[in-house]
Amino acid sequence: MLKSVMEVLLPKLTSFKFPSPSYCCSITTTWNSSSSSSYVKFGFRGLSSLSVNASSSSSSKVVLNEAAVDSAVGSSPSLGHSTRPHFPILHQEVNGSKLVYLDNAATSQKPTAVLKALQNYYEGYNSNVHRGIHFLSAKATDEYESARRKVAAFINASDPSEIVFTKNATEAINLVAYSWGLSNLKAGDEIIVTVAEHHSAIVPWQLVAQKVGAVLKFVNLNQDEVPDIDNLKKLLSRKTKLIVAHHVSNVLASVLPIRDITHWAHDVGAKVLVDACQSVPHMIVDVQNLNVDFLVASSHKMCGPTGIGFLYGKIDILSSMPPFLGGGEMISDVYLDHSTYAESPSRFEAGTPAIGEAIGLGAAIDYLSGIGMQTIHDYEVELGRYLYERLLSVPNIRIYGPAPSEEVQRAALCSFNVENVHPTDLATILDQQHGVAIRSGHHCAQPLHRYLGVNASARASLYFYNTKEDVDNFILALDDTVSFFNSFN
């Protein structure tokens, strides 16, 4: 059906050309293969220097050149303008138009520093970790474990042993479900989950509940389209053993008070698992301050490679959990009739890990830390509000989630629908006619969309390398697309 609609509509579309950019950022990159280092010069007003290390031995230094940028782009270049030169993929045309990438909640783009860290690993010291005594293996091990320490520091874990590398956040949640869940939950125990969770935070607990006879309790939305925290508090009881909640919703853009939720949960003896995939890349996340028991995130949403994520768990809890998978690396001793297991995190990292990906994640953390997570968050709050306000100008639009205010800060994303236009039709024309990349569908949140009374939505999501020009070009393209569809009504 969608194909036939597109076949009818596409020949009638008017062409849309992006205006010439009003800025010109110069970037100078020098790669020294002998020293495995890269130097990038760019500008960002208000910062004097930015150092980004691809690894402990291979560094990529970003040196801010404020004078050059001031002369090129004016007196106040934004963070987006200053960092865009580090992302080669953004500088291309798609379907004859300049790419406007607004699908960051699905995955982020990768800076040169991360690409160089991956290249340096595979060209310079590719080897398996932990079990080799030769130079390449020792170096690979050092870099892999350095990445773990970087993750721990980034979220303020008390010790690197509280960081378990997984292939993504989904696997991290499944690890907790099958290791901690099957060992600690029994018939009649209750797990509290919000209706706004990603499928990865719902399905594993459905499977565990079916196995042990536990009960899932769901928190609905309040009138502001935010999970109802008062409702959550009322659901808490001594039967509650676990709360599973997002930090930032990938659909509603709402932010939950995780520290409060953790305090209430611990008062009744329950644990808390936080899906932080949409918060760790965008704001300061301090696991000790939040006092969460488990937290998961994915590398690919925070400028790192795909294929790796991580689980944070309090060390006393991880130490009490049985292995999730069996095999090499996770053992202490193997006998024919039984085996003994390594301590955390090795206990949960069976087999050869994603070594290059972990090193790439470490480089991404260096890059983000060099900018500063508070700087990123402040910029995105402003840019996200700009996106929300510009979207309100589109006729017959419905934006989901809370309205921004002095008390309410939305994440830098908007899920929306336009009356009488399917979100997939919108996304298709935006891509094919305007080079704008957004996402359409249920965003792995079918229960939430059913609660909202729709099957799908369109979603534009920002990151720090986006600019107001990106938003403006998106709105122009969206207006053009909506007008085109309305011409058939």
Side-chain angles (χ1 to χ4, degrees):
M1 181 65 181
L2 178 61
K3 181 179 179 181
S4 63
V5 170
M6 292 299 104
E7 288 173 345
V8 171
L9 297 183
L10 285 175
K12 300 186 178 184
L13 283 170
T14 57
S15 62
F16 177 88
K17 297 299 181 183
F18 283 98
S20 298
S22 59
Y23 61 90
C24 177
C25 286
S26 61
I27 176 170
T28 303
T29 304
T30 303
W31 173 250
N32 187 328
S33 59
S34 62
S35 63
S36 302
S37 61
S38 159
Y39 300 92
V40 185
K41 291 183 178 181
F42 76 112
F44 178 50
R45 188 174 182 84
L47 294 176
S48 59
S49 65
L50 183 60
S51 177
V52 178
N53 297 317
S55 68
S56 60
S57 62
S58 58
S59 63
S60 175
K61 295 182 180 179
V62 183
V63 182
L64 296 165
N65 188 341
E66 185 173 318
V69 174
D70 281 352
S71 62
V73 304
S75 59
S76 299
S78 72
L79 179 60
H81 290 122
S82 300
T83 55
R84 286 178 70 83
H86 304 148
F87 295 84
I89 197 171
L90 298 178
H91 307 284
Q92 64 174 296
E93 289 194 351
V94 172
N95 296 319
S97 299
K98 291 182 179 179
L99 171 64
V100 177
Y101 185 78
L102 303 180
D103 194 22
N104 295 284
T107 200
S108 65
Q109 299 303 339
K110 321 308 173 193
T112 303
V114 171
L115 303 178
K116 291 297 184 182
L118 287 167
Q119 181 183 13
N120 187 40
Y121 165 69
Y122 284 112
E123 288 185 349
Y125 56 98
N126 174 49
S127 184
N128 214 330
V129 295
H130 296 144
R131 296 181 296 277
I133 61 171
H134 58 81
F135 173 81
L136 295 183
S137 179
K139 183 172 177 59
T141 298
D142 287 346
E143 298 293 345
Y144 179 76
E145 292 302 331
S146 174
R148 192 191 310 278
R149 292 191 294 272
K150 291 173 184 179
V151 173
F154 193 66
I155 62 171
N156 195 33
S158 61
D159 191 89
S161 62
E162 295 183 316
I163 303 300
V164 178
F165 284 131
T166 59
K167 69 181 179 183
N168 47 40
T170 298
E171 184 179 68
I173 294 173
N174 276 271
L175 190 164
V176 177
Y178 284 90
S179 179
W180 181 88
L182 290 180
S183 300
N184 289 275
L185 298 173
K186 62 184 185 303
D189 287 344
E190 295 179 353
I191 305 166
I192 296 178
V193 185
T194 84
V195 297
E197 298 308 314
H198 191 281
H199 295 162
S200 296
I202 296 176
V203 177
W205 300 106
Q206 289 177 334
L207 295 171
V208 167
Q210 290 166 7
K211 289 179 181 292
V212 304
V215 178
L216 293 178
K217 298 279 190 175
F218 288 95
V219 178
N220 292 325
L221 306 185
N222 61 22
Q223 61 184 8
D224 296 319
E225 293 186 340
V226 175
D228 191 334
I229 300 305
D230 291 333
N231 177 225
L232 185 153
K233 291 176 69 175
K234 291 178 182 177
L235 290 176
L236 283 167
S237 73
R238 287 293 170 182
K239 292 183 179 180
T240 307
K241 302 304 176 186
L242 179 69
I243 297 177
V244 180
H246 59 269
H247 196 178
V248 172
S249 169
N250 72 322
V251 176
L252 303 172
S254 53
V255 183
L256 292 183
I258 296 299
R259 188 177 181 185
D260 291 340
I261 291 171
T262 302
H263 176 72
W264 302 329
H266 290 169
D267 278 349
V268 297
K271 301 288 191 288
V272 175
L273 185 156
V274 174
D275 173 359
C277 288
Q278 300 295 340
S279 62
V280 167
H282 302 282
M283 61 175 62
I284 295 172
V285 174
D286 183 334
V287 293
Q288 293 191 67
N289 178 265
L290 296 175
N291 199 23
V292 295
D293 301 290
F294 303 105
L295 181 141
V296 305
S298 283
S299 163
H300 71 94
K301 288 182 168 66
M302 52 188 291
C303 295
T306 56
I308 190 164
F310 65 85
L311 164 68
Y312 159 80
K314 289 181 176 177
I315 191 60
D316 59 325
I317 302 176
L318 292 177
S319 297
S320 69
M321 289 163 50
F324 174 48
L325 298 173
E329 185 65 27
M330 49 73 66
I331 54 86
S332 177
D333 291 293
V334 176
Y335 304 92
L336 292 181
D337 59 348
H338 74 284
S339 297
T340 58
Y341 308 119
E343 296 298 318
S344 177
S346 296
R347 180 184 302 178
F348 305 107
E349 294 180 6
T352 298
I355 304 166
E357 289 79 358
I359 292 168
L361 171 57
I365 287 174
D366 286 338
Y367 182 84
L368 295 174
S369 299
I371 299 171
M373 293 310 298
Q374 191 61 50
T375 297
I376 289 173
H377 179 63
D378 292 344
Y379 176 74
E380 289 186 6
V381 167
E382 177 186 354
L383 192 63
R385 183 182 287 265
Y386 185 73
L387 171 65
Y388 186 92
E389 292 172 350
R390 294 287 279 117
L391 275 172
L392 289 177
S393 69
V394 179
N396 302 312
I397 195 169
R398 165 85 155 86
I399 305 173
Y400 301 104
S405 66
E406 291 298 321
E407 295 77 28
V408 177
Q409 286 191 352
R410 286 177 58 101
L413 66 89
C414 288
S415 300
F416 63 93
N417 271 306
V418 177
E419 187 176 351
N420 297 323
V421 184
H422 194 281
T424 300
D425 288 351
L426 276 179
T428 300
I429 303 305
L430 285 170
D431 171 63
Q432 294 186 2
Q433 292 295 306
H434 305 290
V436 177
I438 67 168
R439 189 146 296 253
S440 65
H442 51 65
H443 317 306
C444 293
Q446 284 183 313
L448 174 58
H449 279 79
R450 290 194 190 99
Y451 188 91
L452 295 169
V454 295
N455 293 321
S457 64
R459 183 183 68 191
S461 51
L462 309 173
Y463 209 5
F464 62 87
Y465 46 66
N466 287 121
T467 65
K468 287 186 176 180
E469 287 87 349
D470 286 337
V471 174
D472 291 339
N473 289 329
F474 163 55
I475 297 299
L476 284 172
L478 182 60
D479 281 335
D480 186 74
T481 301
V482 171
S483 295
F484 170 72
F485 279 111
N486 286 342
S487 70
F488 292 89
N489 294 332

